[in-house]
Amino acid sequence: MAARVDEDKCTGCGRCAEVCPAEAITLNEVAIVDPDECLECGACVDECPNEAISLD
């Protein structure tokens, strides 16, 4: 399952997009994950300071 963003927790800092090896994350006030590009690696989950991203 692709990474999911909790828009209530996301501040749009962009740290997740910076570490995404597949470049599957874009920013539009909050992070947006392209499920077709997501590798489900969890790099964004580990990087998010707000715990706004999950893989479940």
Side-chain angles (χ1 to χ4, degrees):
M1 175 180 272
R4 293 188 313 160
V5 178
D6 181 335
E7 294 182 7
D8 292 330
K9 293 181 179 180
C10 180
T11 61
C13 71
R15 289 172 60 176
C16 56
E18 292 174 6
V19 300
C20 180
E23 298 181 0
I25 303 174
T26 56
L27 295 175
N28 185 12
E29 293 188 29
V30 296
I32 300 169
V33 178
D34 181 340
D36 294 329
E37 298 296 322
C38 180
L39 301 175
E40 303 173 24
C41 68
C44 57
V45 175
D46 295 336
E47 187 67 22
C48 182
N50 301 309
E51 299 181 356
I53 305 176
S54 63
L55 286 176
D56 43 63

